Amino acid sequence: MVTAVRHLGPNWYASVMGTAIVATAGAGLPLHLPGLRTACAAVWALSLAMLLALLAARTLHWTHHRDQARAHLLDPAMAPFYGCLAMALLAVGGGGLVVGRDWIGLRAAVALDAVLFGAGTAVGLTAAVAVPYLMAVRHRVHPAQATPVWLLPVVAPMVSAALGPLLVPHLPPGQPRETLLLACFAMFGLSLLATLLMLPLVFARLVTGGPLPLALTPTLFLVLGPLGQSTTAVGKFADFAPGAVPAAYAQGFTLLAVLYGVPVMGFALLWLGLATAHVVRARRRGMRFAMTWWAFTFPVGTCVTGAESLSRHTGLAVYDGLAIVLYGVLVAAWATAAVHTARGLLSGALLAGPRPAPVALRPVTARTT
């Protein structure tokens, strides 16, 4: 077991995020299908089990393979995935309060979410500072290396912003509720502005340097994360602001939910089309399964919750339809990634170390004299 986790990186937390969002997004659908909520609770329980197992495995990794863990931190391709740890904690905690309470009870769900929200927010804020710092002073990256993976550490606070309001009604009235809600709003701004700094680098790399390598092409879907999650966040602010902040602020949050969410969701759909075209191209050129396929799950799930939020605040049926269609895409992507991941685990291929690069032999010139 100790040897098996040597190459287990923080990117594996993406599978926990992708599983938890299936439960959370499904619970908010404008559908009343028999058994849907029970199925969502079961998926959330699976995400909790995955989180606990992965935390244990990563503890072994840091304990017995510290050299490899440090190498991950110094690798510009791997270090940004530490943002996934924060988002996995937050996604499972928020899912517990949304659907997990059906199985574990409200009190236990609130306690679990409070612990995971606190831990996830602390890790997320740390990653949002530490990873860009390492990129600047240790990684020595170049613009041609920019990928959407760079967004992961700065998006983590946006997940806190979107899920933190769920705890507001469970705090004492007055300053505790207002403090948490406005703290979430501050993290919304922090993450949004940081994303606006990073995204132009990614887009410039894409249009000037050509398509991403085949294995990295699915990471284009990561751009949907801050778009869908920020739309979800402003909707949550509007949902939980009444009674937590002055009435004028609450009305402002309601306006923001629509005036911000509608155009951002429009851009998300534009990017979804662009990313899908790149994935189709990569698939035709031989793209095979890699852990990057989990990028098809959580970001799409945030667009589902964003569409659900816009449905509540605009009353437009078109957003109901959008949420249902995107949820279908999410479930299909999750099932595909989950099946391939299970196969890779059983075969050992996903836990194997990177293959060494082939060594080219020098040509030998024979003497003829």
Side-chain angles (χ1 to χ4, degrees), residues 18-106:
T19 302
I21 197 70
V22 171
T24 305
L29 287 176
L31 294 173
H32 300 286
L33 296 178
L36 175 61
R37 189 171 178 87
T38 301
C40 289
V43 173
W44 171 81
L46 174 62
S47 72
L48 176 60
M50 292 171 61
L51 176 64
L52 295 176
L54 194 50
L55 287 173
R58 287 285 295 165
T59 300
L60 289 175
H61 175 83
W62 269 96
T63 302
H64 298 280
H65 304 288
R66 194 161 297 178
D67 61 322
Q68 188 69 17
R70 289 174 177 172
H72 285 164
L73 279 173
L74 297 178
D75 182 356
M78 186 61 72
F81 283 100
Y82 274 90
C84 290
L85 167 59
M87 291 186 278
L89 294 169
L90 293 163
V92 173
L97 204 51
V98 173
V99 292
R101 64 182 184 180
D102 294 351
W103 286 15
I104 65 175
L106 180 59

Side-chain angles (χ1 to χ4, degrees), residues 105 329 345:
V329 174
L345 282 173

Side-chain angles (χ1 to χ4, degrees), residues 216-246:
L216 288 177
T217 302
T219 64
L220 289 172
F221 275 70
L222 295 177
V223 176
L224 296 175
L227 303 176
Q229 198 68 281
S230 61
T231 302
T232 302
V234 293
K236 293 298 184 184
F237 299 154
D239 291 339
F240 293 96
V245 296

Side-chain angles (χ1 to χ4, degrees), residues 287-313:
M287 181 185 74
R288 296 188 177 184
F289 175 75
M291 288 300 290
T292 53
W293 281 34
W294 282 100
F296 296 138
T297 57
F298 189 81
V300 174
T302 66
C303 291
V304 176
T305 57
E308 291 168 351
S309 171
L310 288 174
S311 173
R312 292 194 308 272
H313 292 286

Side-chain angles (χ1 to χ4, degrees), residues 269-346:
L269 294 177
L270 170 67
W271 191 272
L272 177 62
L274 176 64
T276 300
H278 275 267
V279 168
V280 170
R281 174 189 176 277
R283 188 64 173 163
R284 289 176 175 173
R285 283 162 173 76
M287 181 185 74
R288 296 188 177 184
F289 175 75
M291 288 300 290
T292 53
W293 281 34
W294 282 100
F296 296 138
T297 57
F298 189 81
V300 174
T302 66
C303 291
V304 176
T305 57
E308 291 168 351
S309 171
L310 288 174
S311 173
R312 292 194 308 272
H313 292 286
T314 65
L316 295 178
V318 65
Y319 288 114
D320 289 341
L322 179 61
I324 294 170
V325 170
L326 290 177
Y327 189 72
V329 174
L330 169 61
V331 171
W334 175 80
T336 302
V339 168
H340 281 85
T341 301
R343 289 176 179 172
L345 282 173
L346 292 175

